[in-house]
Amino acid sequence: MHRRSAVTYVGDDPDARARVARAVETAWDGAQAPECRATATGMLLEATEGTDLQPLADACGVVTTTEATADPSVAERLAATPDTLPVIVVLEAATAEEFRLALRAGADDIVSGPAPAESESDSETDPLVERLRDAVELERVRFGSDDADRLREVLLDSGSTLMSTRSDEVDTKISWTMENVGEHAELDRIVCYLREDEVLDPTYVWCPDGCDTSSRALDEFPGAERLSTFENVVRSSVSPAPATERDASGETRTESAATVHVPLVADWELIGVLAFETDACRVWTDDEVDLYRTFADLIAYTIARNNRRLELRRRTEQLEQFTSVVSHDLRNPLNVLSGYLETVEGEVSPSTYDPMDRAVTRMETLIDNLLMLAKRGETIGETELISVTAVAEEAWQTVRAPDATLTIADEIGQVNADPNRLRQVFENLFRNAVDHAGPSVAIEIGSRTDGAGCEGMYIADDGPGVPSDVHGSLFDSGFSTADSSGIGLAIVDRIVDAHGWEVAVRNDDGAVFEVSFEAEAPIRPA
């Protein structure tokens, strides 16, 4: 990526070329001066749009003479330059014809009169010096449209790289993309500060020539208040002073670094600051700053996504530990309790035994449900063609409600399903009916169609039904209207969804749960 950083003389007069060179050096105090180049009129006219190196490609300002602009082709080529490229025309004489030639070349400013004597004391008196300062100083460091297009391509590659980053690649890929952007944008430093408590640490640094970085509080950054409200803070270089302007110590005033500080924002929180810096004289454009903000957003998204991934991994490990506790530390003493309960079944009255038996059964169900929610991987295992009615009857044997009844209205058929998970669907729906309708609940299951040919089954009870205001929350984990754990129906929904089916509920003299076998219709027995 190249910046407009040269004052170009267009013409064939060696004296005029020397005058421009002296004026450039005087206007910007030697070391701060842009490069001065010369382009003959013939070279300017021979260049075409397809030429790899355009004569004015790096020009931040053009100086020419009316002698050169007398050629209509030269004048036309100069008049076609971008508005951001100022053209200064030196008149040989202050005549109407000279002004006409200058206007034909699209002059932004003119200089009339001969050059002063070639002595150091007279160089500052050349009016061309002041014209260069006024017309060129700001434009010589601006970001061009071609520069923006090239940087967009770099950011597109960077985005693809960052979006495919694994946790063990985050540091490497962020550092690589910072280097890539820094080199193409011709920057001296890019520093990514990430928030750690009350300070921001320089976590990623690209600085080819080396630099000292340290942790900083937010209020130590330029425009800290604007950064805290997610705004960019842009500071262009301080304009260099002429050699005649010196500070109180007698030293020539120099430029300060040009910087762009962009907030790193994730989930509406400031997680860091991305600093773009250059020691060169530079004025930032809106297009350039917008592209830097895009790059900052890519980095912030990558960091936030990786943090969420690491947090999910940490929670998964905790969940696995929890699963181990549930599987062993809770189920083992429960099994002991269940065994002792069976030995005393004939020794105590049913009114004493039944509540204890239901409590043990309920605890076993809760443990199974918790393990289901905590299980990693797929919700269902291998599927096979099974009889829906047979699975329902098997599940009914686990319901400890002697006064409850199950009616099979008609044969539902066979479906491809995980038999263990389908049985859990029935068990949870049966348990839900008992919890809401009582131990004497009557349950009926049968086949159903919806008019569009979508087949499935229903599970209905004669309980109080589902209040209309809770239909939308019924399958949410933790939601219950019967003082239960609230995870039974959530597991039903999860299992049904894993099979590619759908479940819904309605009221018809009780609650009716309808399961639609959308993946494939059940196979009827012949």
Side-chain angles (χ1 to χ4, degrees), residues 213-425:
T213 55
S214 59
S215 300
R216 304 164 65 180
L218 180 60
D219 58 12
E220 295 178 30
F221 285 86
E225 292 184 0
R226 295 180 61 192
L227 288 172
S228 66
T229 56
F230 309 155
E231 298 179 70
N232 305 325
V233 177
V234 181
R235 292 196 171 185
S236 300
S237 304
V238 174
S239 302
T244 55
E245 295 184 19
R246 302 179 183 275
D247 60 22
S249 64
E251 298 294 329
T252 303
R253 180 163 56 87
T254 58
E255 295 180 336
S256 64
T259 61
V260 176
H261 289 87
V262 180
L264 295 173
V265 182
D267 298 325
W268 292 100
E269 290 187 5
L270 182 71
I271 65 169
V273 174
L274 191 61
F276 303 85
E277 301 178 357
T278 179
D279 296 325
C281 180
R282 184 164 300 178
V283 173
W284 311 100
T285 66
D286 291 341
D287 282 348
E288 185 174 14
V289 174
D290 288 344
L291 290 172
Y292 293 151
R293 182 62 182 257
T294 298
F295 183 47
D297 290 342
L298 287 172
I299 291 180
Y301 175 80
T302 300
I303 292 172
R305 184 184 63 173
N306 188 57
N307 288 342
R308 287 192 293 268
R309 184 186 299 160
L310 295 176
E311 176 64 16
L312 181 60
R313 184 178 301 168
R314 183 187 68 81
R315 292 187 178 185
T316 300
E317 291 173 353
Q318 292 178 338
L319 196 57
E320 289 175 345
Q321 295 175 357
F322 166 77
T323 302
S324 177
V325 170
V326 171
S327 298
H328 300 91
D329 297 357
L330 292 182
R331 193 181 292 278
N332 288 342
L334 185 61
N335 289 338
V336 173
L337 179 60
S338 179
Y340 277 108
L341 189 61
E342 290 179 0
T343 63
V344 300
E345 182 176 3
E347 300 177 9
V348 296
S349 65
S351 61
T352 301
Y353 176 82
D354 290 347
M356 293 189 296
D357 184 58
R358 285 196 298 270
V360 170
T361 301
R362 185 59 175 156
M363 291 178 66
E364 290 174 343
T365 301
L366 287 173
I367 290 175
D368 288 340
N369 288 345
L370 287 172
L371 290 175
M372 175 64 190
L373 288 179
K375 181 183 177 182
R376 292 185 62 189
E378 297 296 331
T379 303
I380 62 175
E382 293 294 328
T383 63
E384 59 184 81
L385 192 63
I386 57 177
S387 167
V388 177
T389 301
V391 174
E393 291 174 338
E394 183 181 352
W396 181 253
Q397 302 304 315
T398 66
V399 177
R400 302 203 178 188
D403 296 330
T405 59
L406 174 67
T407 301
I408 308 296
D410 55 12
E411 178 62 39
I412 300 172
Q414 295 179 312
V415 293
N416 278 307
D418 179 337
N420 293 326
R421 292 290 172 250
L422 181 56
R423 185 179 68 179
Q424 192 170 14
V425 167

Side-chain angles (χ1 to χ4, degrees), residues 133-142 239 282-283:
R133 286 182 188 149
D134 291 344
V136 176
E137 191 276 326
L138 292 179
E139 298 298 334
R140 70 188 179 93
V141 292
R142 285 191 183 274
S239 302
R282 184 164 300 178
V283 173

Side-chain angles (χ1 to χ4, degrees), residues 82-103:
D83 292 340
T84 55
L85 180 60
V87 176
I88 300 174
V89 179
V90 177
L91 308 182
E92 295 183 7
T95 65
E97 178 61 19
E98 294 283 308
F99 279 104
R100 186 186 67 80
L101 292 175
L103 292 175

